[in-house]
Amino acid sequence: MTEVAELPLIGAAALRARAAARVLRALPTDTKDAALTAMAEALVERTEEILAANAADVDAAAAAGTPASVLDRLRLDAARVAGVADALRQLVALPDPVGDVVRGSRLPNGLELKQVRVPLGVVGIVYEARPNVTVDAAGLCLKSGNAALLRGSASAFATNTALVAVLTEAGEKAGLPGGSVELLPADRASVGELLNARGLVDVVIPRGGASLIQRVVRESRVPVIETGEGNVHVYVDASADPGIAEAVVLNSKTHRVSVCNSAETLLVHRDYPHLPRLLAALSGSGVDLHGDDASRAAHDAVVPATDEDWATEYLSMDMAVRVVDDLPQALEHIARWSTGHTEAIVADSAAAIAAFTAGVDSAAVMVNASTRFTDGGEFGFGAEIGISTQKLHARGPLGLPELTSTTYVVTGNGHTR
């Protein structure tokens, strides 16, 4: 176990979280739900205070030349504050995973065996300029019986400080132990300490860009649940309905470009007859298209693409376009360039749909539906901490069950071996 003296920046907070986790693991669902409800109400009541802190962060980030996509993630308004409050209320309506029996059986020797969901303990979350993650992560951790150690970005520190103050005050008044939600200093050294806090922190979850995630995975001595980038593809098959294809592609790309489930690459079967119409719709919506020779021949707004375009998570109004000979070539392209987040197919052919869903290796596969649905809220899980693109311990949206582990409870009647 790491000694607290080795963690001068986060040690006290980690100890408070560790103590809180022992209480939270046994806290009744009613108490947790009452606390979440109180937190939601407090966020709405103190919206002006939160927005004032957020305005200071946004102004400072803009003055520092922060890209527009990052400013969009950072910025809050009254509607977004109400939205994160609603996310907490949705968690109240969801079942508490703690205590769920995953499986059970009576063994031949008479022992009763049950595998039961239990909290992970202390969950450290490292994330970038999205203050909504502060509320989502705190709420998910609390509902699943975990203490949360939150390390947001320096650009959102004033906002996160205000949010955690509101959450902490409301939560403790409703019966949560002190230390249930802790905000860590927003400097590089605090991340290093968090990643080395083995024995005090049970798991670390990074949520952000590639460099952040790679650092956490590379340096952490604490187990990591890895969330990933979203180099997301939409494949339009030769059998696709043109109206459905246009609706799915436009929504996947343009609904909100700064998020990880926004589509970045469009793959189109060479026999799909409506490519010029589709590219015109994208270009007319303000999308800058980067394509191969075949897509450039279909529309004069397409500029030449390079391997960098196939590899890029744009998070902007840009999209790579490639015309493929067939579905296997689309699958080959995805296998090479995908980050394993979400892939979509638009098709009427049942054979093509079956081959695509079996052939891609990603956390989510959409069939005739927008990639924007890869989201905990859209899946009915409530808020999420992120989209896991790894295969252990969880994959896809990280909701309540994914923030638990299991314990085997074995009951006998004086059994000995």
Side-chain angles (χ1 to χ4, degrees):
M1 175 172 169
T2 304
E3 296 294 331
V4 176
E6 301 174 43
L7 309 171
L9 292 174
I10 76 160
L15 282 178
R16 289 192 296 269
R18 199 79 195 162
R22 291 194 292 271
V23 178
L24 289 168
R25 69 179 294 112
L27 212 58
T29 303
D30 288 349
T31 302
K32 292 187 287 187
D33 286 346
L36 290 169
T37 300
M39 289 174 168
E41 292 173 353
L43 287 171
V44 174
E45 290 170 1
R46 297 169 66 177
T47 295
E48 289 188 12
E49 174 186 336
I50 294 165
L51 294 184
N54 182 248
D57 282 336
V58 171
D59 289 347
T66 302
S69 61
V70 178
L71 288 177
D72 178 58
R73 296 182 179 198
L74 175 60
R75 185 177 290 108
L76 292 177
D77 55 26
R80 287 188 178 182
V81 174
V84 295
D86 283 342
L88 293 181
R89 296 188 184 98
Q90 291 170 19
L91 288 175
V92 172
L94 292 174
D96 186 344
V98 179
D100 281 353
V101 177
V102 178
R103 59 181 171 177
S105 63
R106 184 180 180 88
L107 302 179
N109 61 4
L111 287 173
E112 297 287 345
L113 176 69
K114 290 193 293 186
Q115 186 183 16
V116 181
R117 290 196 182 279
V118 297
L120 292 170
V122 177
V123 178
I125 302 157
V126 185
Y127 54 103
E128 294 176 334
R130 277 193 181 178
N132 64 293
V133 177
T134 301
V135 179
D136 290 348
L140 281 160
C141 286
L142 294 174
K143 178 79 176 197
S144 54
N146 298 293
L149 280 177
L150 307 178
R151 196 285 188 183
S153 66
S155 62
F157 190 69
T159 309
N160 290 337
T161 299
L163 289 169
V164 170
V166 172
L167 297 175
T168 297
E169 182 178 331
E172 291 182 9
K173 285 182 179 178
L176 296 184
S180 296
V181 182
E182 291 282 343
L183 182 66
L184 301 179
D187 57 32
R188 187 174 177 85
S190 67
V191 177
E193 289 189 13
L194 179 62
L195 301 183
N196 282 283
R198 192 173 183 89
L200 288 172
V201 178
D202 294 286
V203 66
V204 172
I205 303 172
R207 177 170 173 169
S211 61
L212 169 66
I213 293 166
Q214 290 166 8
R215 181 192 175 192
V216 171
V217 172
R218 183 176 62 250
E219 298 180 12
S220 185
R221 295 178 58 235
V222 177
V224 175
I225 301 176
E226 182 180 349
T227 63
E229 293 177 272
N231 191 6
V232 172
H233 300 76
V234 179
Y235 166 65
V236 177
D237 188 60
S239 66
D241 176 274
I244 293 176
E246 187 172 319
V248 168
V249 172
L250 284 175
N251 187 259
S252 296
K253 177 67 254 181
T254 67
H255 182 253
R256 190 177 178 193
V257 298
S258 64
V259 291
C260 61
N261 58 16
S262 172
E264 306 292 18
T265 297
L266 172 64
L267 303 173
V268 183
H269 195 290
R270 67 178 180 182
D271 294 332
Y272 178 72
H274 306 287
L275 178 58
R277 165 183 165 177
L278 182 56
L279 296 179
L282 285 164
S283 179
S285 297
V287 179
D288 294 324
L289 301 169
H290 310 254
D292 62 357
D293 290 342
S295 61
R296 291 175 63 205
H299 198 280
D300 58 11
V302 183
V303 301
T306 66
D307 280 358
E308 184 178 353
D309 290 295
W310 310 132
T312 297
E313 182 187 23
Y314 291 112
L315 302 176
S316 64
M317 288 290 276
D318 291 86
M319 193 174 206
V321 185
R322 181 184 178 189
V323 176
V324 293
D325 291 337
D326 49 27
L327 189 148
Q329 190 175 55
L331 292 175
E332 181 181 349
H333 180 103
I334 292 169
R336 179 176 180 186
W337 300 108
S338 173
T339 54
H341 189 295
T342 301
E343 321 302 343
I345 180 173
V346 183
D348 280 344
S349 165
I353 291 169
F356 187 87
T357 56
V360 296
D361 185 11
S362 292
V365 183
M366 301 293 165
V367 178
N368 294 323
S370 171
T371 62
R372 290 283 288 121
F373 285 109
T374 305
D375 175 86
E378 295 294 333
F379 281 9
F381 302 161
E384 66 177 36
I385 286 182
I387 307 293
S388 170
T389 55
Q390 66 177 33
K391 299 180 182 180
L392 297 175
H393 115 100
R395 198 179 194 195
L398 296 174
L400 293 171
E402 289 73 31
L403 291 176
T404 64
S405 183
T406 61
T407 290
Y408 286 95
V409 179
V410 184
T411 304
N413 186 24
H415 282 65
T416 60
R417 180 177 176 181

